[in-house]
Amino acid sequence: MRTHRTTTLLITAVAALALAACNPQAAGPDDKASTPSATPTASGKAPGGRASGKATTATLPQLVGKGLQTAQDEAQAAGFFSLKSHDSLGQERLQALDRNWKVCSQTPAGGAKVDTDTTVDFGAVKLEESCPAADAPAPQPAGKTMPDFTGKGMKAARASLPSNAGITVKDALQNRMVLQESNWKVCTQDPKAGAALNGQLLSFTVVKTQESCP
């Protein structure tokens, strides 16, 4: 009798396990797999994003005359996060420390109501510099003749010349090393503007951007 009862209990337990395996809903709440919800939020927006399929417009503030860092902060506060800047003097300098630059121009213009995805481009000069009447274009590729680089940034001058050109650069005032050409401007050049470029050595004398040529 004892053996018969043990066998009967074992069969009953096996049958219960088989029934639970065939019926997943019988599992307890802690056994359910956790699946992220794909349902949109009530606002119709993805987290941190704009409403799906809907454009968002806002008025871009007037930021000309302000420090570049302040201009960027105010543009972001107005909802514009796609921001870039360039050197208004056409010298191809990088705005590595925004607090040292001020805004001379902005595109789109201040007061315009535009899509907040629009890229806002600030033309800037260093704080101690004067803004030009209009942004100076960067030098174009030199072609077959030597352009006039006088007063242009040395970095921009080099960028417009053939990549295989032999170029020497010397400080026109002192015997300083010209390590970061974006901080220097051209005083003299050899050959002179208009000369044919035929692979000859190109020589420049330069001073710091804020200095006057001798």
Side-chain angles (χ1 to χ4, degrees):
M1 291 296 291
R2 183 176 300 171
T3 303
H4 176 72
R5 181 179 180 183
T6 302
T7 303
T8 302
L9 290 174
L10 180 60
I11 293 173
T12 302
V14 171
L17 290 172
L19 180 60
C22 294
N23 184 13
Q25 294 181 351
D30 293 337
D31 297 329
K32 293 182 180 180
S34 177
T35 304
S37 174
T39 305
T41 60
S43 65
K45 295 182 180 180
R50 63 164 53 180
S52 176
K54 295 182 179 180
T56 301
T57 60
T59 300
L60 180 65
Q62 173 58 260
L63 301 169
V64 172
K66 297 190 176 184
L68 181 56
Q69 183 64 66
T70 299
Q72 292 172 337
D73 292 344
E74 292 188 12
Q76 291 178 349
F80 297 88
F81 294 93
S82 180
L83 308 175
K84 66 178 183 178
S85 60
H86 65 273
D87 184 355
S88 287
L89 297 181
Q91 296 180 9
E92 297 292 292
R93 295 172 295 177
L94 298 177
Q95 292 73 59
L97 190 58
D98 296 333
R99 290 179 179 84
N100 289 344
W101 295 75
K102 62 186 178 185
V103 176
C104 295
S105 65
Q106 68 180 76
T107 305
K113 191 168 185 178
V114 293
D115 193 308
T116 53
D117 278 347
T118 301
T119 297
V120 181
D121 186 11
F122 296 111
V125 296
K126 290 193 173 182
L127 296 178
E128 65 274 14
E129 297 172 342
S130 298
C131 288
D135 282 6
Q140 298 300 308
K144 296 181 179 181
T145 58
M146 185 73 164
D148 184 4
F149 291 117
T150 304
K152 304 293 186 182
M154 187 60 222
K155 180 182 177 182
R158 184 182 290 273
S160 73
L161 293 166
S163 59
N164 61 353
I167 299 173
T168 62
V169 182
K170 294 183 178 181
D171 181 3
L173 292 178
Q174 305 172 35
N175 195 27
R176 295 170 293 185
M177 296 184 66
V178 182
L179 298 177
Q180 192 170 353
E181 292 182 346
S182 60
N183 291 333
W184 298 74
K185 65 183 179 183
V186 175
C187 290
T188 66
Q189 62 183 64
D190 183 27
K192 295 188 180 298
L197 289 174
N198 52 19
Q200 72 269 48
L201 178 66
L202 309 178
S203 301
F204 296 89
T205 66
V206 296
V207 293
K208 291 287 187 73
T209 303
Q210 67 272 19
E211 296 173 341
S212 299
C213 290

